[in-house]
């Protein structure tokens, strides 16, 4: 089924429209499942009834999330629109509303506790997520040329929505980044010695930049431990570290740290934005650093902060200090403890 002529046509259409490799794999997965669910009938022989039955199966029997249901529907709509030239109309099924949950954020002590359980490049990646507000894919796709150590900035090429942007680079990460860049240099020199040295790029960029893909500046900051064959263009190259490799190490660090929150790679980006707003950074600046097109996306962090209630004191905090001291587990607050001091204390 994976090598069927129809699915190869879908793959070709996705590549022609320059969809990412991740989207290509996901769409093919759901289209393949849709066809198998309907006893391998050709999609041209099916219509709304078969689509509705498949989506109901996912929701009721498989109990997939709202986001997964929407993704499956997107894949099917793409197939009918671009491969069969049919618009799916009057479908007795609409895109499921995804719950809008406030993001989980970490305090400085919690970030420090997690970092304290990490070593090497995994710790450096996490520091970039929290210190620069990067998405995990953006961090893993950084190349040597994207790091400006003297200018203290990081260039994010084609972030979410294919938007380029610059974000700040913490001065405390400069020595670690210099060390990591030297590790990349040594690995690249070994690849060149063995007759390799090409880095991977999106298919749309290969012809344009293939003459420079052996240059050190184009190498990934966090390269994979092995070389691979490029899935589109067939050349032997070194890709970046896979997100799953980072996720496994993050999970171990969170458990070891004792932080009792659901922490993902994206949690550090949320924490970056929230902390900047706490420090009084203008929301437009935060929007620019995060790469948000719509300010309303950034404003969710003001809800996390309770910023709309700024200046309001809880009645409990207005009670005499002796009352609070009698509460279980009372700890006096040390206003002089800076965030940097907390990080240094936990990470020493």
């Amino acid at each position: 089924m994976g090598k069927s002529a129809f699915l190869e046509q879908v793959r070709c259409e996705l590549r022609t429209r320059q969809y990412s490799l991740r989207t290509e794999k996901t769409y093919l997965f759901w289209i393949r499942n849709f066809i198998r669910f309907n006893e391998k009938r050709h999609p041209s022989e099916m219509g709304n009834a078969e689509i509705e039955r498949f989506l109901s199966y996912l929701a009721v029997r498989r109990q997939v999330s709202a986001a997964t249901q929407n993704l499956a529907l997107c894949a099917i709509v793409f197939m009918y629109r671009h491969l069969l030239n049919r618009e799916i109309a009057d479908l007795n099924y609409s895109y499921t509303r995804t719950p809008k949950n406030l993001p989980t954020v970490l305090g400085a002590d919690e970030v420090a506790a997690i970092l304290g359980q990490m070593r090497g490049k995994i710790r450096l990646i996490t520091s970039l997520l929290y210190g620069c507000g990067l998405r995990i894919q953006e961090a893993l796709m950084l190349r040597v040329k994207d790091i400006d150590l003297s200018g203290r900035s990081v260039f994010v090429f084609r972030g979410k929505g294919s938007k380029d942007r610059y974000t700040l680079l913490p001065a405390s990460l400069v020595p670690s980044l210099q060390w990591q860049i030297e590790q990349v240099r040594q690995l690249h020199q070994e690849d060149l010695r063995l007759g390799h040295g090409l880095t991977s790029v999106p298919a749309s960029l290969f012809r344009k930049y293939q003459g420079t893909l052996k240059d050190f500046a184009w190498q990934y900051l966090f390269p994979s431990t092995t070389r691979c064959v490029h899935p589109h263009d067939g050349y032997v190259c070194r890709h970046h570290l896979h997100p799953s490799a980072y996720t496994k190490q993050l999970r171990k660090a969170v458990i070891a740290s004792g932080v009792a929150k659901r922490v993902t790679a994206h949690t550090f980006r949320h924490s970056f934005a929230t902390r900047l707003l706490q420090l009084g950074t203008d929301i437009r600046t935060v929007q620019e650093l995060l790469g948000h097109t719509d300010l309303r996306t950034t404003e969710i962090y003001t809800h996390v902060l309770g910023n709309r209630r700024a200046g309001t004191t809880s009645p409990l905090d207005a009670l005499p200090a002796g009352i609070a001291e009698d509460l279980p587990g009372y700890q006096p607050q040390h206003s002089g403890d800076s965030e940097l001091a907390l990080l240094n204390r936990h990470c020493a």
Side-chain angles (χ1 to χ4, degrees), residues 16-127:
T16 300
R17 296 178 180 274
Q18 297 188 4
Y19 280 68
S20 69
L21 184 60
R22 176 184 289 185
T23 302
E24 175 186 314
K25 291 179 178 179
T26 303
Y27 275 27
L28 287 172
F29 172 82
W30 286 116
I31 292 171
R32 187 181 295 113
N33 274 270
F34 170 66
I35 295 173
R36 284 175 174 169
F37 177 80
N38 288 287
E39 301 176 350
K40 299 185 179 180
R41 293 164 56 197
H42 195 279
S44 62
E45 302 172 359
M46 298 186 283
N48 286 21
E50 288 79 9
I51 297 173
E52 291 166 5
R53 191 166 69 249
F54 176 64
L55 295 174
S56 296
Y57 161 76
L58 293 180
V60 178
R61 297 288 298 277
R62 293 276 302 278
Q63 297 184 345
V64 301
S65 68
T68 302
Q69 289 174 254
N70 292 341
L71 192 55
L73 181 54
C74 283
I76 294 170
V77 168
F78 176 90
M79 174 186 65
Y80 276 98
R81 177 176 296 159
H82 299 296
L83 274 297
L84 302 174
N85 298 317
R86 282 170 52 186
E87 290 292 336
I88 302 299
D90 302 322
L91 191 67
N92 190 24
Y93 195 98
S94 59
Y95 288 101
T96 306
R97 183 182 295 274
T98 304
K100 298 294 183 182
N101 299 321
L102 289 178
T104 300
V105 297
L106 301 170
D109 56 339
E110 293 171 320
V111 173
I114 294 172
L115 286 174
Q117 299 298 324
M118 294 176 167
R119 296 293 179 270
K121 62 184 176 184
I122 297 298
R123 180 164 170 171
L124 179 55
I125 292 170
T126 306
S127 299

Side-chain angles (χ1 to χ4, degrees), residues 292-341:
H292 289 162
T293 302
D294 193 333
L295 184 62
R296 288 175 296 182
T297 308
T298 315
E299 285 177 344
I300 190 172
Y301 298 109
T302 64
H303 292 280
V304 176
L305 281 172
N307 195 46
R308 296 170 185 266
R309 298 182 294 279
T312 304
T313 302
S314 169
L316 183 64
D317 291 335
L319 294 178
I323 301 297
E325 291 173 4
D326 291 335
L327 291 172
Y330 171 77
Q331 293 289 336
Q333 299 298 311
H334 301 291
S335 58
D337 280 359
S338 68
E339 183 167 7
L340 180 60

Side-chain angles (χ1 to χ4, degrees), residues 207-224:
R207 289 192 184 90
K208 182 176 181 181
Y209 294 112
Q210 61 179 313
T212 62
L213 296 188
K214 285 190 177 183
D215 292 354
F216 174 63
W218 275 85
Q219 304 307 304
Y220 284 112
L221 186 62
F222 301 104
S224 172

Side-chain angles (χ1 to χ4, degrees), residues 244-257:
S244 63
Y246 172 79
T247 301
K248 291 175 184 177
Q249 296 300 317
L250 172 61
R251 177 171 172 76
K252 291 179 181 178
V254 172
I255 293 173
S257 71

